[in-house]
Every structure is written in structure tokens, then in C-alpha cells.
Amino acid sequence: MTQGTWPANLERGTIPASHLPMWRESFALIEAALLHLAPVYYGLGAPRGDGSGVIIIPGFLGTDVMLAAMYAWLHRMDYRPYFSGLRLNAECPNLLIKRTLNGTLDRARRETGKKVHLVGHSLGGIIALAMSEQRPQDVASVTMLAAPFRGTAAHPNILRAAEFVRKSIREQHGENVLPDCYTGRCGCNFVDSLTRALPESVTVTAIYSQTDSIVDWRYCVTGNPALDFEVPGTHLGLIFNPTVYALMARRLALARTGT
């Protein structure tokens, strides 16, 4: 598969989730502690940035506060980081892009004068991918951390939480959202964007872990070895994982931005 051609077998329904127990995600606390001991967190041995903007997007039920360590690291690496502006990632992704994230992208583009990098964790990575397809003229790269963009592939407990959010969205927005909102069957622009070809101008990176107990890692990869990078660790811990930070430094440097 080339970067410009996404998998033809993109799933739009529920598929088997990870077989690993969720308690393994508690190891994310160890990953968070180890990050502050890693040389890469202080910019050692990693390529520096060029002042371009990087928007970081939290995962399902996540907040910008959870990405504070990544924000600080990007700043030290000479990038200009931007929080997503989302209070909580528990809303229709199509509305999040229209009402909040497009504004964040506009601001980053205006203030840096360069194309912007998007980094998203889990659902945040899927949202970043959709934004990259919708606005390739403004996006230099998209980095997805454990983002199951090829289908709804999550632990049953996560799927139950997603169903609760879906019902909440329907109750809040009513006819302003499509009947299948917050599912892979929705016909909105967000879901449709995930099936389109991405321009070669956007550098894509998919980072995943085979010990992810939240989502099925097989649905977090493009199928192109040049774009897919396996790391050890947990799903939640990828936002603190030193190996991920080292990879991000190299991939962001590879996608040097232009105007």
C-alpha cells in the first residue's frame, strides 16, 4: 500500500477487540515515570524542530491536560505546540472538527506561517487523519498513536462507553447529527474522509503496540512498512513512551514544513 491509497477493506462496523486484559494498562504509570528519565525527553540525541506548529489531540474521553508532557517536550524540541482546544473528547468528531479543531489549525497556520503537524492519540489520531485529508494544503504530517482508523476495534468496556457517548450525542443534538453518528457506519464527512486517498504531500506515521489491551493493533496500521512503527508498551502509555518520542522526533523532522 502506498501512502496515497488507504486500505480497501476499511471496516465500518464492530470487530473483535484486543484479547489482552485491561489491567495491563496500569503499566502506563510506569511509562509516564520512565519518560522523565529518558534523554530524548530533554532533547538529547534527537533532531530539533524548525518552529512549525504541532497540534496534539487527545483520545477517547481524553483531555488536553493528559498531553501536557508531550506539549512541554515539543516546546523543548523547538516546535510550537498547540493543545487541541477540546474540553473532552466525547463528542461527534465531525462537530469537533468544525467547531474547534479547524479553528486551532487556522490559528497555528496563521501564527507560524507554515504547514502544521497533527499528532493524535487513539480516537484523536483518527480525527487527525480525517483533518489531514480534508485540509492537506495546511497539514505537513499526521502522526497516529494507537489509532484504529481501519475499524471499530476496542475492548468491550470501551465499546460500552462509546455507546453511552453516542446516545448522549443523539439526545443533545437530535436531528442535527446523522442517525448513525459515532459509529463507523455514519455517512458524515468525518467518516467519509477516512476512505479517501491522502495526498503524497502529507507525511503519515502510524505507531502501534502489539501489547495494546484497549484497541486491536491490527487496525492501527496502514500496511506500508515505511509508515508503520511498532513500539513496546500500553495503549494509554504511548503518550508517555520514550520510544514514541524518539520516533516522533525523527518523523517530524522528516516532514519539514513549507508555506
Side-chain angles (χ1 to χ4, degrees):
M1 186 192 84
T2 63
Q3 176 175 311
T5 306
W6 293 110
N9 63 335
L10 179 73
E11 296 291 343
R12 292 200 174 194
T14 302
I15 57 177
S18 172
H19 65 282
L20 299 175
M22 283 192 71
W23 63 260
R24 292 177 57 89
E25 290 299 314
S26 61
F27 291 125
L29 297 174
I30 299 176
E31 292 173 272
L34 291 177
L35 174 62
H36 293 83
L37 300 177
V40 68
Y41 189 60
Y42 302 97
L44 301 178
R48 313 295 293 194
D50 60 355
S52 54
V54 183
I55 299 174
I56 49 179
I57 307 173
F60 175 59
L61 298 181
T63 66
D64 283 337
V65 173
M66 298 176 65
L67 301 177
M70 185 178 294
Y71 182 99
W73 174 73
L74 287 166
H75 181 74
R76 282 194 294 274
M77 295 300 294
D78 298 328
Y79 289 101
R80 186 163 182 174
Y82 291 83
F83 285 120
S84 68
L86 304 181
R87 289 183 296 178
L88 182 69
N89 193 345
E91 176 61 284
C92 166
N94 210 41
L95 293 180
L96 291 179
I97 292 174
K98 290 181 179 179
R99 296 179 178 180
T100 303
L101 289 165
N102 275 336
T104 305
L105 180 54
D106 289 338
R107 176 188 166 205
R109 188 79 159 95
R110 181 177 63 253
E111 292 180 350
T112 65
K114 299 178 180 182
K115 289 185 177 182
V116 180
H117 303 280
L118 303 179
V119 177
H121 176 234
S122 197
L123 176 58
I126 302 175
I127 293 173
L129 180 62
M131 290 179 65
S132 300
E133 192 287 326
Q134 294 172 16
R135 300 183 57 176
Q137 72 280 6
D138 297 317
V139 176
S141 75
V142 56
T143 301
M144 299 176 286
L145 311 179
F149 63 93
R150 296 182 67 173
T152 307
H155 191 280
N157 290 343
I158 301 301
L159 294 178
R160 281 191 285 270
E163 180 61 19
F164 177 82
V165 171
R166 189 185 77 81
K167 291 180 179 179
S168 176
I169 292 171
R170 291 286 296 160
E171 291 174 359
Q172 179 180 356
H173 299 292
E175 294 182 356
N176 292 323
V177 294
L178 296 173
D180 287 325
C181 182
Y182 223 68
T183 74
R185 300 179 302 277
C186 187
C188 69
N189 192 34
F190 164 71
V191 174
D192 185 56
S193 297
L194 300 176
T195 66
R196 303 176 196 163
L198 196 66
E200 295 290 341
S201 61
V202 179
T203 299
V204 176
T205 302
I207 300 175
Y208 67 98
S209 171
Q210 290 198 29
T211 51
D212 188 321
S213 56
I214 298 294
V215 302
D216 190 328
W217 68 267
R218 294 170 296 179
Y219 293 84
C220 301
V221 297
T222 68
N224 184 342
L227 310 180
D228 300 330
F229 299 87
E230 181 186 357
V231 299
T234 64
H235 180 86
L236 298 175
L238 286 193
I239 61 176
F240 305 112
N241 191 309
T243 305
V244 170
Y245 280 52
L247 264 172
M248 285 175 54
R250 296 200 301 270
R251 295 295 290 177
L252 290 174
L254 180 67
R256 292 298 187 189
T257 61
T259 58

